[in-house]
Amino acid sequence: MIKAITGTKDILPIDIPKWKYLESIVESTMKTFNYKEIRTPIFEETALFSRGIGESTDIVSKEMYSFVDRSGTSVTLKPEMTASTVRAFMEHSLGKQQGLNKLYYVSPMFRQERPQAGRYRQFHQFGAEALGSHEPLIDAEMIILAHRIISRLGLNNIEIKINSLGIPESREKYKIILKEFIKPHFEKLTEDSRKRFDTNILRIFDSKADNDQQIMKDAPLLIDHLDEESLKHFETVKQILDKAKIKYDVDPKLVRGLDYYTHTTFEILSSSVGAQSALCGGGRYNLLAEQLGGNPTPAIGFAAGIERILLACENEKSLNLPEDNIDLYIVRMDKELTAEAYELSVIFRNENINVELDYLSRSVKAQMREANKLNAKFVLLIGGDEYAQKKLVLKNMETSEQIFFDINDLISIKEKIIN
Ligand code: AMP
């Protein structure tokens, strides 16, 4: 039998209410902050991601689902939304229509990662991107927005980490200092970290290997080598967060994997989801639009992993979803009344009442059992002596009250059901 591809997951009907609920919280919170939804294609030209995210990042160097299509173009299933959003922003000149574009999305993403709990090859993210403003106000807003959504989902065991990567000039100077510090320890680093030494030295801070961490424990920190302006920007972000009563920790070792970050970066972690504890990550990417051939455009965004957030919600039992139910189950007592029962279902469905009935020639008892299983609020019985006397019986499944209606008085039945 053919199975789903490793690292992908079916979302079955039983799980859909959680997804819909989360999506509704995302949508309504984005609305309160005035972010507008954007949807971009599932696949893009490969060059968009290799140029935008950076060749040396894990995503581009080993995780992208890329293939050459029949016309010979290399295309890639999107591994993240920022590059696609910036492409759409530039392609449609959104910056000309509005000084600041506040956008959000909910979308599947694709990365060929080693599958493990909380790490999939097709996963889903929601996120926001604000393009057009340099102001630290919008850096803080991103964190406040992400935090607001996560709070509305009832999650408590969370931690916000923030850092500043400053501007490229101060970062380049710092990289030289960091290189000098690491050089004497180079041979002791893991192979991955040795590779990063030349390609993406800051990411050595991300290594989970004990030995690497031991070496990096005393490493000089970027935050101590930031220029005046970057420091001032970061200070203002922190002040706004303080005023908004958002708790955070400054983590000078938070570097994040992507090349395009400048200034503020942040992560929201949960202690309720095991090893893959990052629920959300984001940061400022003032250089990306230019890197992709557009006008310089200051911007900041975040992306949050839906699977992980739902796992945290499950582990913290934070979601109080209403029970699934239907309004009406039509029980047909005689098989000959199948057509009449179906006709009634059509009439009530046209009145936007949620109706189910039997399609499996089941007995009356089995139909009642099904009505219970579906949590039907009412059952309409059609058949028997009552039907011979031109009556229908409506049973309230909660109170067991039975009301008799004239067969033609469907309006009264409808009133009873919806009130
Ligand atoms: P990133 O785009 O790598 O900054 O990731 C942002 C968020 O997306 C992470 O904090 C995770 O919650 C989620 N995420 C990233 N990669 C995966 C994956 N392979 N499987 C599930 N969730 C992921």
Side-chain angles (χ1 to χ4, degrees):
M1 210 173 63
I2 298 173
K3 298 221 166 122
I5 291 186
T6 309
T8 69
K9 247 179 37 169
D10 298 308
I11 306 166
L12 297 176
I14 192 163
D15 289 321
I16 291 292
K18 282 188 292 194
W19 283 76
K20 293 253 185 207
Y21 179 70
L22 179 141
E23 286 159 15
S24 74
I25 294 286
V26 170
E27 193 178 331
S28 66
T29 314
M30 293 294 181
K31 205 165 180 184
T32 61
F33 284 74
N34 193 31
Y35 283 68
K36 307 281 186 210
E37 186 174 357
I38 183 163
R39 300 184 189 191
T40 65
I42 287 292
F43 61 116
E44 300 266 5
E45 263 189 55
T46 300
L48 174 67
F49 302 116
S50 46
R51 225 191 291 163
I53 304 172
E55 299 280 0
S56 71
T57 59
D58 285 355
I59 294 181
V60 174
S61 65
K62 47 189 184 199
E63 295 170 359
M64 290 205 302
Y65 277 102
S66 304
F67 59 96
V68 176
D69 72 6
R70 282 167 212 272
S71 64
T73 310
S74 177
V75 297
T76 294
L77 302 182
K78 63 183 167 190
E80 55 110 62
M81 249 316 258
T82 306
S84 301
T85 308
V86 173
R87 188 225 11 95
F89 167 86
M90 297 187 313
E91 191 168 333
H92 304 284
S93 306
L94 297 183
K96 289 210 181 102
Q97 298 162 26
Q98 228 164 350
L100 175 64
N101 275 268
K102 304 209 291 185
L103 306 169
Y104 84 93
Y105 58 85
V106 181
S107 174
M109 304 294 164
F110 306 85
R111 295 182 198 172
Q112 192 162 8
E113 301 208 61
R114 195 162 55 81
Q116 50 181 293
R119 220 173 243 292
Y120 308 102
R121 289 181 170 176
Q122 174 173 340
F123 58 100
H124 299 76
Q125 289 183 333
F126 66 81
E129 314 285 354
L131 301 110
S133 172
H134 275 287
E135 296 295 324
L137 192 61
I138 201 90
D139 301 45
E141 175 164 296
M142 272 302 152
I143 299 169
I144 294 168
L145 169 60
H147 174 263
R148 177 76 189 132
I149 294 173
I150 287 170
S151 303
R152 282 188 72 189
L153 292 167
L155 293 177
N156 288 315
N157 306 331
I158 61 158
E159 188 190 355
I160 302 178
K161 286 185 179 177
I162 65 171
N163 191 21
S164 172
L165 298 179
I167 52 169
E169 290 77 6
S170 48
R171 197 156 69 223
E172 288 313 311
K173 277 191 210 149
Y174 161 75
K175 278 185 186 170
I176 297 169
I177 299 168
L178 185 62
K179 254 189 182 159
E180 286 305 314
F181 168 83
I182 295 177
K183 241 183 214 160
H185 309 283
F186 182 81
E187 293 304 326
K188 283 183 261 157
L189 290 172
T190 54
E191 195 189 329
D192 258 358
S193 292
R194 286 206 300 268
K195 263 190 221 150
R196 287 171 176 169
F197 185 81
D198 287 318
T199 56
N200 202 340
I201 192 162
L202 289 183
R203 292 229 37 224
I204 300 180
F205 281 113
D206 278 347
S207 170
K208 299 276 181 288
D210 281 349
N211 210 24
D212 291 355
Q213 285 193 354
Q214 198 59 30
I215 295 168
M216 298 307 279
K217 190 167 61 83
D218 302 317
L221 298 169
L222 175 53
I223 198 116
D224 298 325
H225 293 83
L226 288 185
D227 54 286
E228 267 310 290
E229 187 137 355
S230 297
L231 274 177
K232 205 169 127 213
H233 185 101
F234 194 45
E235 273 313 307
T236 314
V237 173
K238 289 193 285 184
Q239 279 165 13
I240 300 167
L241 291 177
D242 291 337
K243 286 216 175 97
K245 301 205 165 26
I246 302 283
K247 282 206 195 104
Y248 59 85
D249 290 312
V250 175
D251 178 357
K253 293 186 175 159
L254 178 73
V255 293
R256 314 238 336 116
L258 316 182
D259 280 358
Y260 50 57
Y261 284 120
T262 51
H263 291 288
T264 315
T265 56
F266 66 97
E267 238 170 41
I268 302 183
L269 306 144
S270 165
S271 53
S272 306
V273 287
Q276 300 301 324
S277 60
L279 300 183
C280 162
R284 191 168 260 290
Y285 51 91
N286 290 350
L287 307 173
L288 182 58
E290 232 174 322
Q291 231 163 286
L292 291 173
N295 294 326
T297 309
I300 180 159
F302 78 85
I306 297 183
E307 283 83 355
R308 281 194 212 163
I309 290 180
L310 287 179
L311 184 65
C313 291
E314 213 155 283
N315 291 344
E316 289 190 35
K317 298 200 175 14
S318 71
L319 298 186
N320 256 331
L321 298 179
E323 249 185 281
D324 204 18
N325 61 17
I326 57 167
D327 298 322
L328 179 66
Y329 193 95
I330 301 176
V331 169
R332 151 204 51 64
M333 295 163 89
D334 311 308
K335 280 220 177 89
E336 298 73 57
L337 291 172
T338 300
E340 282 79 356
Y342 198 79
E343 196 185 326
L344 282 174
S345 79
V346 172
I347 293 168
F348 286 118
R349 283 169 176 164
N350 285 345
E351 296 289 340
N352 301 325
I353 288 171
N354 309 330
V355 182
E356 186 54 298
L357 73 170
D358 176 54
Y359 298 83
L360 300 171
S361 293
R362 281 181 280 206
S363 67
V364 171
K365 212 167 144 191
Q367 290 176 68
M368 287 305 288
R369 224 181 292 131
E370 185 68 10
N372 269 318
K373 198 167 141 194
L374 296 174
N375 249 326
K377 287 188 241 163
F378 289 92
V379 160
L380 187 66
L381 292 138
I382 162 167
D385 293 344
E386 289 81 8
Y387 195 68
Q389 288 160 25
K390 302 207 175 318
K391 295 274 180 218
L392 294 170
V393 184
L394 185 71
K395 182 174 177 185
N396 180 324
M397 296 297 277
E398 203 184 322
T399 61
S400 294
E401 178 198 18
Q402 301 203 41
I403 311 176
F404 293 73
F405 288 93
D406 194 275
I407 209 165
N408 296 315
D409 190 11
L410 299 183
I411 291 175
S412 299
I413 298 179
K414 177 190 152 191
E415 299 279 300
K416 188 80 198 164
I417 293 170
I418 52 180
N419 290 321

